[in-house]
Amino acid sequence: MTKSIIRAIASTALVAISVGVAAPAQARTPERRGDLLSLTPVSDLTPAQVSGFLKGAGVDSATVRYGVRGYRVTYRTITPQGTPTTATGLLVLPLDGRHGRVDLVADTHGTMVDRDYAPSVGEDFGRLSPYLHASAGRAVAAPDYLGLGEGPGRHPYMDTASSVSASLDMLRATRTAARELGRPLTGDVYGTGFSQGGQVAMALGKALTQGADAHFRLKALAPVSGPYDLAGQEVPALFDGRVNDTSGVLYTSYWLTAQNRLHPLYGSAAEAFRAPYAGIVDGLLDGTHTEEEILGALPGTVKDLLTPAFYARLADPRGALLAAMRDNDHTCDWKPAVPVRLYTATGDTDVPIANTLSCVGQLAAHGKKAPVVDQGEVDHNGAFKKSGPQIVRLFDSLAGTA
């Protein structure tokens, strides 16, 4: 990247950084996963504005020390099938007046059906955690995942492998972007994530520990309310009342339509979904509709959404259906060599607390003790709102900055 491009970042609202466009063919660098393609400034907040944003969402802002500046990062990655594609994510840097290296928080978000709600695009819930951590003095890489934000295609919802590959490549692109912006990274990574992102955070931590990229050193993991056990807890909870009906309909329709593009769960939508929903459900979950639009067009319960035969299959999953669940149920099945603290809430009726207890059990089976912070009788989003500031303080204490 040239100095003129860096100057353009500071003076324009939009910047595109093209890789190799002006170079002779023989001098071009081969395309690689994690290559930075472009940076777009998307936010610039003072400490008071960060505090106001957090307080407006009901999040404690006592840890805010600095303003923040956010950029949309566009980078190269791969699809679930391993073919080249691109993705976007949010890079947030603290405006702390320093020019030295900064630690990095890998922050993976929860379930989103609308691509414009993703962290790099929407100034909404997905930016609460990035702003929390950046305003405390660390850089934040918050991937949109595949098919969300400004990435092409459909989002492969709950496909852990591709969420990890997209997140890992986001870290690589962030390393380049931060260096070019004059805020190089130390290489130390603190992992956190909420809901779907809690599961991704655990899997990303495992990949980093296993040497997926030698530039990054995992320092700690602190996920919130992840669906770590689909087959054993999350799916059974759809049938025993632990998951509320509204969330059950959203998650089930999203998961089935996304997974069916990766695995042969059903031949036609009519095998799984009742009329008239079979004809509209896949289109509703194309990344261009809001939760309100989707739920307004679907029935109120999972039982009314699915055909009787498929409802029975989901209650007693076998074959491809069970395999699709179990493919994503091993994110806690390892022994982290770093501190791990799991956050959850007894009152969560989206991702019941039993998911976290399953994760604790898997970690313990490998000899890793992970304390659990139960936020009590709050809902799913409430679990994050209470946990987020606590995780900032945890990372501060582990980094020696508290």
Side-chain angles (χ1 to χ4, degrees):
M1 188 188 299
T2 66
K3 292 182 179 179
S4 62
I5 291 179
I6 297 173
R7 287 194 295 269
I9 293 174
S11 61
T12 65
L14 177 66
V15 61
I17 304 170
S18 299
V19 178
V21 171
Q26 67 271 21
R28 289 178 180 169
T29 301
E31 295 179 359
R32 298 172 302 175
R33 287 178 49 184
D35 277 352
L36 176 66
L37 297 177
S38 69
L39 279 173
T40 304
V42 295
S43 62
D44 197 329
L45 281 71
T46 66
Q49 289 172 324
V50 175
S51 293
F53 180 71
L54 297 173
K55 290 177 181 177
V59 178
D60 179 12
S61 66
T63 60
V64 173
R65 296 192 286 271
Y66 311 111
V68 301
R69 184 167 292 146
Y71 302 85
R72 182 181 307 117
V73 175
T74 304
Y75 60 96
R76 298 191 191 280
T77 189
I78 55 173
T79 69
Q81 295 75 30
T83 58
T85 188
T86 62
T88 55
L90 178 69
L91 163 63
V92 188
L93 295 172
L95 298 177
D96 54 8
R98 296 178 297 170
H99 299 286
R101 296 179 180 272
V102 288
D103 293 343
L104 180 66
V105 173
D107 182 24
T108 44
H109 68 72
T111 299
M112 294 179 179
V113 294
D114 183 352
R115 62 171 52 250
D116 290 339
Y117 197 59
S120 81
V121 179
E123 184 87 352
D124 216 309
F125 194 93
R127 291 193 182 176
L128 291 173
S129 186
Y131 286 175
L132 263 172
H133 289 282
S135 65
R138 281 175 279 276
V140 180
D144 294 333
Y145 307 145
L146 298 179
L148 295 174
E150 295 195 350
R154 302 279 290 268
H155 175 49
Y157 180 55
M158 292 296 291
D159 179 54
T160 305
S162 62
S163 293
V164 169
S165 62
S167 298
L168 181 61
D169 291 338
M170 173 69 184
L171 298 188
R172 292 167 172 147
T174 295
R175 181 174 65 231
T176 302
R179 182 179 65 245
E180 299 294 353
L181 290 166
R183 296 306 306 270
L185 305 178
T186 64
D188 289 347
V189 177
Y190 297 80
T192 188
F194 170 55
S195 193
Q196 176 190 2
Q199 182 202 56
V200 176
M202 289 300 298
L204 178 61
K206 183 178 183 180
L208 291 173
T209 296
Q210 293 177 341
D213 192 304
H215 289 87
F216 295 114
R217 300 176 297 274
L218 184 68
K219 302 299 288 185
L221 287 169
V224 183
S225 297
Y228 311 109
D229 189 0
L230 295 182
Q233 296 297 337
E234 186 67 19
V235 173
L238 294 170
F239 298 89
D240 62 21
R242 286 179 293 150
V243 172
N244 69 79
D245 288 337
T246 299
S247 296
V249 168
L250 184 70
Y251 295 154
T252 300
S253 57
Y254 202 9
W255 187 80
L256 287 174
T257 54
Q259 291 294 312
N260 197 56
R261 291 191 293 273
L262 303 173
H263 313 277
L265 302 184
Y266 50 84
S268 69
E271 292 180 25
F273 300 96
R274 294 176 183 262
Y277 313 116
I280 62 172
V281 64
D282 193 66
L284 285 171
L285 289 154
D286 65 356
T288 68
H289 295 82
T290 65
E291 284 189 16
E292 292 77 14
E293 290 170 335
I294 293 166
L295 291 170
L298 296 179
T301 68
V302 173
K303 189 172 186 178
D304 290 335
L305 173 72
L306 302 178
T307 64
F310 204 87
Y311 185 77
R313 280 185 61 193
L314 192 63
D316 185 20
R318 301 175 186 180
L321 193 59
L322 181 59
M325 297 176 192
R326 286 182 171 168
D327 277 352
N328 301 288
D329 281 349
H330 301 287
T331 59
C332 299
D333 193 13
W334 59 295
K335 185 178 181 178
V338 300
V340 178
R341 188 171 297 177
L342 301 171
Y343 295 76
T344 182
T346 303
D348 190 339
T349 61
D350 283 56
V351 181
I353 192 172
N355 281 276
T356 295
L357 301 181
S358 288
C359 182
V360 169
Q362 284 191 323
L363 292 169
H366 290 277
K368 179 66 177 182
K369 292 184 179 181
V372 175
V373 178
D374 180 0
Q375 304 294 5
E377 293 298 329
V378 296
D379 64 11
H380 191 50
N381 288 345
F384 162 75
K385 291 178 182 180
K386 292 189 71 173
S387 301
Q390 295 173 15
I391 294 170
V392 171
R393 294 185 180 97
L394 172 66
F395 291 170
D396 280 349
S397 66
L398 293 172
T401 59

